[in-house]
């Protein structure tokens, strides 16, 4: 798992370096899906797993000029010495960010959950991640 973290740090450094040269990027996180297929496609040796894929390119003027969504405040998302659940009230943050009502927050959370966590790609990513861990923990002779 430490290697996963190292590769994501390297990827983030590549993104920051590219940004400094005016190059845009996009993470393709679902490379973790379909582990068996990607392992074969990329001819990966034992214990090597693609953790992230990056696409780089120059943004169009329209992309550069596009209004960016408002960000949450640093005070809302940075925690010190532990996760403070009182401080991090997502419902309040969403209401302030989007001018939502309580009902709109609940609706947004349900739609987000359906689109991200209860989706087919999420189930496949979980299945594939479990396969990766099983693969890593097998004896070399079982491979």
């Amino acid at each position: 798992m430490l290697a996963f973290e190292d590769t994501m740090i390297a990827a983030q450094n590549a993104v920051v370096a590219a940004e400094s040269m005016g190059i845009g990027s996009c993470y393709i996180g679902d490379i973790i899906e379909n582990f068996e297929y990607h392992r074969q496609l990329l001819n990966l040796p034992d214990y090597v797993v693609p953790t992230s894929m990056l696409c780089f390119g120059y943004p169009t003027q329209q992309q550069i000029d596009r209004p960016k969504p408002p960000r949450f405040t640093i005070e809302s998302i940075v925690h010190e010495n532990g996760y403070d659940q009182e401080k991090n009230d997502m419902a309040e943050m969403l209401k302030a960010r989007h001018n939502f009502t309580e009902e709109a927050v609940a609706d947004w959370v349900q739609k987000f959950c359906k689109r991200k966590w209860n989706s087919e790609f999420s189930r496949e990513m979980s299945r594939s991640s479990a396969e990766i861990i099983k693969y890593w923990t097998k004896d070399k002779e079982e491979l």
Side-chain angles (χ1 to χ4, degrees), residues 60-102:
T60 65
Q61 193 60 47
Q62 179 185 6
Q63 290 169 321
I64 292 169
D65 295 341
R66 173 180 63 91
K68 307 302 185 267
R71 302 275 182 183
F72 292 126
T73 65
I74 292 292
E75 297 78 24
S76 298
I77 59 174
V78 173
H79 301 266
E80 188 174 334
N81 298 325
Y83 190 86
D84 182 355
Q85 292 189 34
E86 297 297 319
K87 170 183 167 185
N88 193 0
D89 185 350
M90 290 299 295
E92 292 303 317
M93 291 167 54
L94 287 168
K95 284 196 296 193
R97 181 183 197 183
H98 300 290
N99 199 24
F100 279 167
T101 63
E102 287 288 333

Side-chain angles (χ1 to χ4, degrees), residues 22-83:
I23 299 171
S25 61
C26 179
Y27 285 94
I28 309 297
D30 57 357
I31 188 69
I32 296 171
E33 292 179 44
N34 302 304
F35 163 66
E36 302 86 352
Y37 172 75
H38 289 124
R39 184 171 185 273
Q40 182 180 19
L41 176 72
L42 300 170
N43 194 28
L44 299 176
D46 292 344
Y47 306 109
V48 174
V49 176
T51 59
S52 182
M53 183 186 306
L54 287 171
C55 298
F56 292 98
Y58 291 97
T60 65
Q61 193 60 47
Q62 179 185 6
Q63 290 169 321
I64 292 169
D65 295 341
R66 173 180 63 91
K68 307 302 185 267
R71 302 275 182 183
F72 292 126
T73 65
I74 292 292
E75 297 78 24
S76 298
I77 59 174
V78 173
H79 301 266
E80 188 174 334
N81 298 325
Y83 190 86

Side-chain angles (χ1 to χ4, degrees), residues 29-35 111-132:
D30 57 357
I31 188 69
I32 296 171
E33 292 179 44
N34 302 304
F35 163 66
K111 287 178 181 174
F112 184 86
C113 185
K114 183 178 180 180
R115 188 176 83 243
K116 291 288 188 178
W117 306 116
N118 296 334
S119 64
E120 184 58 37
F121 90 87
S122 182
R123 284 189 289 279
E124 168 52 28
M125 194 171 297
S126 294
R127 184 210 63 82
S128 197
S129 296
E131 286 301 312
I132 291 168

